[in-house]
Amino acid sequence: MRYMNDRLRLIGALVGALAAGSAIAADLPSAKAPPAPLAAPAPAFSWQGFYVGAYAGALLGEGTFTYLRDTPIRGAGFLGGGTLGYNWQWTPTIVLGLEADFGYRGSQNAETVGWNTPSATETGVFGTFRGRVGYAFTRNWLIYGTAGLAYGSDFVPTAFTSQLPLTLGQLYTGTTVRAGWTAGAGVEYAWSDKISVKGEYLYTELADSGVAYSTNFGAVPLNVKSAGHIVRGGVNYHFATPAAPPAPILTK
């Protein structure tokens, strides 16, 4: 009997020791690392914000010089300058904007039709202020239509000759800045969040100009229509700030 009692006391002591060890282990801090947060999704690309840029291209004349009959002014001249604009990302695919540009217009050669031979036009300034409506058909590509105000020096030949009657004329009044309108379309590619490149077509027409030439018949008032097709490329720097990423999501 005594032997049995000793064995029972030994078993009880072992059970107590195991229970105490389990309690102490439960109270110790866990060495397991906390779960890593899920990676925050990258902010969506947006066209929204201010931008500045530069452009260069050509103006293909579609004007008219009138002395007894109309003579087309269809030569090509250099066009280049700077751009300032702002875009609104109206929806993920619709982009609205305002854009202004101002630059230098080179001279244009004129055609010889029938009696009249106008010389190259004078150089001048050219600019626009337009609205834009664009469709972002992929993350980085935007196509758009644009229209608005145009202004610039009229496309006036510096001199002209006419066969019938034989007339030699030299520009007397000089060029004048005229208002007009412009409309066209373009495509723009976002190279990065800051840099985009574009190609653009515009048709523009300024108000007709009454100019005077000194000729062998005295001062002669004439009419000049200033219009043309603009084909140009450009690069823009965007000041848009990406939206802040959402807070990390912790797993339980």
Side-chain angles (χ1 to χ4, degrees):
M1 180 65 68
R2 182 178 179 181
Y3 174 73
M4 291 296 294
N5 290 336
D6 290 342
R7 293 192 64 181
L8 291 174
R9 284 195 293 269
L10 179 60
I11 292 171
L14 291 174
V15 171
L18 291 173
S22 299
I24 293 172
D27 292 337
L28 292 175
S30 174
K32 184 180 180 180
L38 296 178
F45 172 77
S46 174
W47 288 94
Q48 182 155 322
F50 286 99
Y51 60 90
V52 296
Y55 69 89
L59 190 154
L60 310 176
E62 192 69 21
T64 305
F65 173 85
T66 304
Y67 177 66
L68 301 179
R69 63 178 299 174
D70 292 342
T71 300
I73 302 175
R74 293 180 180 162
F78 172 79
L79 193 71
T83 303
L84 173 66
Y86 185 85
N87 287 324
W88 289 270
Q89 187 86 41
W90 187 257
T91 71
T93 56
I94 302 300
V95 179
L96 308 179
L98 291 174
E99 184 173 280
D101 58 72
F102 179 80
Y104 165 83
R105 175 187 61 76
S107 63
Q108 302 165 278
N109 292 320
E111 288 188 0
T112 299
V113 177
W115 301 331
N116 301 331
T117 305
S119 71
T121 68
E122 289 196 327
T123 60
V125 298
F126 180 81
T128 71
F129 181 75
R130 296 169 284 108
R132 301 201 319 170
V133 179
Y135 176 72
F137 60 95
T138 70
R139 179 182 182 274
N140 296 80
W141 285 95
L142 179 73
I143 56 174
Y144 61 88
T146 182
L149 172 72
Y151 59 95
S153 307
D154 43 14
F155 310 164
V156 179
T158 58
F160 78 95
T161 61
S162 180
Q163 297 174 1
L164 294 173
L166 180 61
T167 308
L168 306 176
Q170 190 71 32
L171 184 63
Y172 177 73
T173 57
T175 58
T176 304
V177 174
R178 301 281 178 173
W181 63 272
T182 187
V187 59
E188 191 166 0
Y189 173 72
W191 187 268
S192 69
D193 288 347
K194 296 295 185 182
I195 304 297
S196 68
V197 293
K198 70 176 183 180
E200 188 174 69
Y201 165 80
L202 295 172
Y203 178 80
T204 188
E205 184 173 319
L206 304 179
D208 289 359
S209 305
V211 295
Y213 287 81
S214 299
T215 74
N216 47 318
F217 296 106
V220 176
L222 300 178
N223 186 70
V224 173
K225 176 184 177 182
S226 301
H229 307 271
I230 295 171
V231 181
R232 62 187 181 180
V235 58
N236 291 326
Y237 178 85
H238 296 258
F239 295 95
T241 302
I249 302 174
L250 299 176
T251 59
K252 294 183 179 180

